[in-house]
Amino acid sequence: MEAMILFPAIDLKDGQCVRLVHGLMDQATVFNDDPAAQARAFEEAGFDYLHLVDLNGAFEGKPVNAAAVESILAAISMPAQLGGGIRDLATIEMWLDKGIARVIIGTAAVKNPALVIEACRKFPGRIAVGLDAKGGRVATEGWADVSDLTVLDMARRFEDAGVAAIIYTDIDRDGALQGLNIEATVALADAISIPVIASGGLSSIDDLKKLIAANCSGIEGAISGRALYDGRLDPKEVLALLKGLR
């Protein structure tokens, strides 16, 4: 297997770097009020790719934390992917022009699948789809609405669209440090040809060891937020594991 990527997450709420529990905006913990400094710290620690979410944007359906995102992009040289409030082609193009490497379409992928297909055609390799599951069903609008669609149903819609990755988040575990839903992630990755990124609940290096042990070539990597911020994950140890240096 190729080395997995661990994406450190910066979730933006009101211009600050926060983590939520189960996606609830009223349960936000502020970890850094300077997102650009946090991004620099992740890059200096040796990470290769950053995961950004505009939380306010996810709820409002339009970019809200643009100034914070732009300050992050100015502070780092590593690529960053961004989701939250990206609902039309103009917003996708705007973020790619500003230097975002990969745009994540979530709610709009459920409500307007044609947008994903059009965006993939126009910006090949630069469009990811975020599928966030509550009880196995896809949630939208900042996880406020739960649809009747399963994650696999949604993922299969984009099988031939040219999507760069599916970011699969288990909302019930997100921010709660309960461990990745490895079984569901591997099942999804085995069922589709699009690379899958695991998200939600990563709590320790053991989660990553289990993900590697699953030996699933369809898994591109995993996203970590709270476990990195509170010291449960040691960047050097994790990066050595993922790059096969141990």
Side-chain angles (χ1 to χ4, degrees), residues 46-131:
F47 291 101
D48 297 321
Y49 212 123
L50 194 60
H51 177 78
L52 305 175
V53 181
D54 180 348
L55 291 171
N56 302 97
F59 282 91
E60 295 187 30
K62 61 184 180 183
V64 175
N65 286 286
V69 173
E70 288 173 29
S71 72
I72 288 168
L73 292 173
I76 59 171
S77 58
M78 67 174 165
Q81 60 185 19
L82 170 70
I86 300 169
R87 308 282 168 88
D88 55 48
L89 208 58
T91 306
I92 293 167
E93 193 158 10
M94 180 267 288
W95 280 126
L96 294 177
D97 285 346
K98 285 181 183 291
I100 288 293
R102 187 156 69 183
V103 164
I104 304 161
I105 304 175
T107 293
V110 179
K111 301 196 170 182
N112 183 15
L115 174 66
V116 175
I117 294 163
E118 186 181 1
C120 286
R121 193 181 301 125
K122 191 165 185 184
F123 308 109
R126 302 188 72 185
I127 306 298
V129 169
L131 297 181

Side-chain angles (χ1 to χ4, degrees), residues 132-149:
D132 307 325
K134 214 170 198 172
R137 303 285 166 176
V138 176
T140 60
E141 307 292 346
W143 301 351
D145 297 336
V146 181
S147 73
D148 294 327
L149 293 161

Side-chain angles (χ1 to χ4, degrees), residues 31-238:
F31 282 101
N32 199 324
D33 57 11
D34 186 343
Q38 184 62 63
R40 267 196 308 273
F42 282 140
E43 185 164 61
E44 287 164 5
F47 291 101
D48 297 321
Y49 212 123
L50 194 60
H51 177 78
L52 305 175
V53 181
D54 180 348
L55 291 171
N56 302 97
F59 282 91
E60 295 187 30
K62 61 184 180 183
V64 175
N65 286 286
V69 173
E70 288 173 29
S71 72
I72 288 168
L73 292 173
I76 59 171
S77 58
M78 67 174 165
Q81 60 185 19
L82 170 70
I86 300 169
R87 308 282 168 88
D88 55 48
L89 208 58
T91 306
I92 293 167
E93 193 158 10
M94 180 267 288
W95 280 126
L96 294 177
D97 285 346
K98 285 181 183 291
I100 288 293
R102 187 156 69 183
V103 164
I104 304 161
I105 304 175
T107 293
V110 179
K111 301 196 170 182
N112 183 15
L115 174 66
V116 175
I117 294 163
E118 186 181 1
C120 286
R121 193 181 301 125
K122 191 165 185 184
F123 308 109
R126 302 188 72 185
I127 306 298
V129 169
L131 297 181
D132 307 325
K134 214 170 198 172
R137 303 285 166 176
V138 176
T140 60
E141 307 292 346
W143 301 351
D145 297 336
V146 181
S147 73
D148 294 327
L149 293 161
T150 69
V151 170
L152 184 54
D153 288 339
M154 274 303 305
R156 281 184 167 148
R157 287 186 177 184
F158 303 117
E159 194 67 286
D160 300 317
V163 170
I166 296 281
I167 295 159
Y168 169 58
T169 302
D170 187 328
I171 297 168
D172 297 321
R173 294 171 183 245
D174 191 71
L177 297 168
Q178 294 175 354
L180 291 169
N181 191 337
I182 290 169
E183 186 180 350
T185 305
V186 170
L188 177 63
D190 281 342
I192 60 175
S193 61
I194 307 165
V196 174
I197 298 169
S199 173
L202 200 158
S203 60
S204 73
I205 197 166
D206 288 338
D207 282 328
L208 294 169
K209 287 177 178 175
K210 288 174 188 172
L211 203 58
I212 291 166
N215 198 30
C216 178
S217 61
I219 295 177
E220 180 177 285
I223 291 166
S224 176
R226 190 173 291 268
L228 279 172
Y229 290 109
D230 68 11
R232 288 169 190 253
L233 275 182
D234 174 70
K236 281 186 181 175
E237 186 183 9
V238 167

